[in-house]
DNA sequence: CAATCCGAGTAATCGGTGCTTACATTCACA
DNA sequence: TGTGAATGTAAGCACCGATTACTCGGATTG
C-alpha cells in the first residue's frame, strides 16, 4: 500500500526478538539472531493480508521488532525480500508436485498428467498468496531468481514429457502436443488466478466448493483431449 | 512504484494544457478545461508502462501539467482514478464483444460461443493493460464500480445462455453446463493472464504468434466439449 | 456592464514509504 | 584478551497519497 489506505496495521505483535536456540535467554538483545528468517515470514504474512504489493519493508521490520533500516542488511532491496519469499513458495510448490507424482499411476501417462494438474490446482487453491507471488512477473525479477526459473522450466518439461508419453500410448485425440500443453496450462493457471483475483463469488463458486470444482473442470478438459472410442 | 525504482520518468511531455474546443486559443490558462479526461489518459499510459500498481496520481498530474493536488478535484482518491480507467476499459471490452456477436452465425450456438471466446481473447491480447485493470479485484473496489459489475454479470449471462442453446441443439457432449462455462472462462482468462504476467516467452510463444495460438487453444477446447459422432 | 458566486486550479503540509549513509554494538575467532 | 566483521540503530533523502487554505477566472446574474 502506498500509505494511508492501510492506516494502522501497526503496533500489534511487534517487539518479540528471538535468538539462537543454543543460547541462554536474555529477553532483549542487540543482535536479533535470525532476522532474515523472521522477515521472510512477516513478508509472507503481509502477502496474505493485502496481496504481494502490500508488502512493505518497514512493516516487516516493525513486526520483527527491529528498526526500519535493519532489513537492508539482509536484503539489498524490497524486491530481494519478495524474491526470497517467492523462492520459499516455489520450494513448497515443487514439493507438492513431486509428492503427487510419486503417488501417480505408472502405466497411465494421461492419468499422471491429471495428477500433475490436480496437484497444481490443489496447491494453488490452498496457498493462494504463495501462488500469486510466484506467478506474476511484475512482483520481482524472475530472471534474477535462477532457482525459480529452473524449477519452472523443469516442471514444464515434465508435463511435456508426460503428454508425449500419453500421445505415444495412443491416449490423446489431438496430435499437437504443444497446443494441448498450453491449453492445459491456461486452464489451471486461469482457474487459480480466478480464485486469487476474486472472480469466484460472482460465478457462484463458494470457497470450500472451489477445490471440487477445480477437479471437475480438470476432468472435463482431460476428457476433451482424450481419445474416445 | 514506491519511489526510486522509477527514478525519472519525469519532465518529458508535461505542461500542455488543453481547453474546450469551442473556445479561442490562449496557450496557458488557469483552468485546464478537460483535466479529468487527460488524467484518465495519463493513468492509462502509466498502466501500460509499469502495470496498474505503478499508477501515481502525482505522475498523472505531472503529465497533465498540473499541480499534485489538482487531480483530487476530480477523483476523491487514487482508487477512484483507477476505477475511472477501469470503466473506460470495460466500455471498450463490451463494445468488442458485442461487435463480435453481431458478426456471429445465428443458427449455430456453439459457433457463437466460439465467437465470444475469440473476441474475449483478441481484445485481451491487444489491450493487455486494459484487460489487467478490469480483471484483478485488488486494484479497486469492484463493488463500488456498479457499471463494471453489471457489465460482467451480463456477459456471463450471455455465455450461459449461448451454452444452453448449444446444449439444447445437441451440440455439447457434457451435460453440466456450469462446469463447461467455468472451464471455458478459466481457459481464456488463464491465457490472457499468462500473456500479461509474462509467461509466454518461456513457453516459446512469441508476441505476434500469441493471437494465433489463442485461437488454436480455443478451438482445441471447443472440440473437446463438442459432441462428436 | 459590473458585481459576485463558485468550480477548479495552486501552495504548503502531513504521515508513510523505499533506500542510503554514518555510527554503534556485539559476536566470533586469533 | 583484542579486534575485525557482522549486524543492529539513527537520521535523512526523495517520492508518494491525501488534506487544507488560498486564489484565480469563467459564467450567471442584477
Amino acid at each position: 500500500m502506498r500509505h494511508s489506505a492501510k492506516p494502522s496495521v501497526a503496533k500489534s505483535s511487534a517487539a518479540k526478538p528471538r535468538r539462537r536456540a543454543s543460547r541462554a535467554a536474555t529477553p532483549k538483545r542487540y543482535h536479533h539472531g535470525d532476522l532474515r528468517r523472521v522477515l521472510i515470514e512477516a513478508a509472507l504474512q503481509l502477502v496474505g493480508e493485502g496481496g504481494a504489493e502490500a508488502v512493505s519493508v518497514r512493516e516487516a521490520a516493525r513486526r520483527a521488532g527491529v528498526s526500519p533500516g535493519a532489513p537492508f542488511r539482509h536484503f539489498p532491496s524490497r524486491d530481494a525480500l519478495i524474491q526470497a519469499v517467492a523462492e520459499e513458495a516455489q520450494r513448497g510448490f515443487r514439493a507438492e508436485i513431486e509428492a503427487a507424482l510419486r503417488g501417480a499411476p505408472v502405466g497411465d501417462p494421461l492419468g499422471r498428467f491429471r495428477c500433475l494438474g490436480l496437484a497444481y490446482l490443489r496447491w494453488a487453491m490452498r496457498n493462494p498468496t504463495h501462488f500469486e507471488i510466484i506467478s506474476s512477473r511484475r512482483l520481482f525479477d524472475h530472471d534474477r531468481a535462477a532457482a525459480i526459473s529452473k524449477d519452472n522450466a523443469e516442471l514444464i518439461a515434465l508435463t511435456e514429457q508426460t503428454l508425449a508419453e500419453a500421445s505415444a500410448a495412443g491416449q490423446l485425440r489431438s496430435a499437437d502436443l504443444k497446443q494441448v500443453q498450453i491449453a492445459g496450462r491456461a486452464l489451471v493457471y486461469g482457474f487459480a488466478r480466478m480464485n486469487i483475483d476474486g472472480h469466484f463469488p460472482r460465478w457462484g463458486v463458494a470457497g470450500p466448493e472451489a477445490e471440487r470444482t477445480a477437479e471437475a473442470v480438470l476432468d472435463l478438459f482431460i476428457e476433451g483431449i482424450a481419445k474416445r472410442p
Side-chain angles (χ1 to χ4, degrees), chain A residues 127-146:
Chain A
N127 309 277
T129 64
H130 295 68
F131 182 83
E132 179 180 7
I133 215 171
I134 55 177
S135 69
S136 176
R137 293 226 141 195
R138 284 229 185 79
L139 299 181
F140 63 97
D141 188 351
H142 278 64
D143 297 330
R144 299 291 167 113

Side-chain angles (χ1 to χ4, degrees), chain A residues 177-224:
Chain A
L177 296 186
K178 179 139 188 185
Q179 275 174 17
V180 173
Q181 194 186 5
I182 292 182
R185 178 64 155 219
L187 186 87
V188 294
Y189 184 65
F191 196 91
R193 279 224 66 106
M194 283 176 76
N195 183 43
I196 291 174
D197 295 338
H199 291 197
F200 281 148
R202 72 171 174 237
W203 284 84
V205 177
E209 196 184 345
E211 225 170 300
R212 280 186 295 114
T213 306
E215 185 167 353
V217 160
L218 179 64
D219 282 335
L220 185 79
F221 175 76
I222 288 189
E223 285 169 25

Side-chain angles (χ1 to χ4, degrees), chain A residues 36-91:
Chain A
R36 185 188 160 89
R37 173 89 248 132
V38 174
L39 286 173
I40 291 179
E41 283 167 9
L44 206 42
Q45 194 180 343
L46 287 171
V47 175
E49 289 173 15
E53 303 284 345
V55 175
S56 122
V57 176
R58 287 182 112 90
E59 180 61 22
R62 213 171 287 134
R63 296 188 179 197
V66 106
S67 77
F72 292 95
R73 290 285 172 198
H74 298 271
F75 305 98
S77 70
R78 172 181 177 271
D79 279 9
L81 169 60
I82 294 186
Q83 177 171 325
V85 175
E87 283 166 358
E88 179 92 354
Q90 181 76 22
R91 270 193 294 277

Side-chain angles (χ1 to χ4, degrees), chain A residues 82-133:
Chain A
I82 294 186
Q83 177 171 325
V85 175
E87 283 166 358
E88 179 92 354
Q90 181 76 22
R91 270 193 294 277
F93 177 57
R94 169 134 201 176
E96 176 103 358
I97 295 287
E98 286 176 348
L101 217 50
R102 277 194 295 274
V106 286
D108 175 16
L110 192 55
R112 291 176 74 82
F113 183 72
R114 180 180 180 278
C115 277
L116 281 173
L118 212 51
Y120 183 106
L121 281 170
R122 207 178 49 189
W123 187 82
M125 303 303 285
R126 293 184 183 175
N127 309 277
T129 64
H130 295 68
F131 182 83
E132 179 180 7
I133 215 171

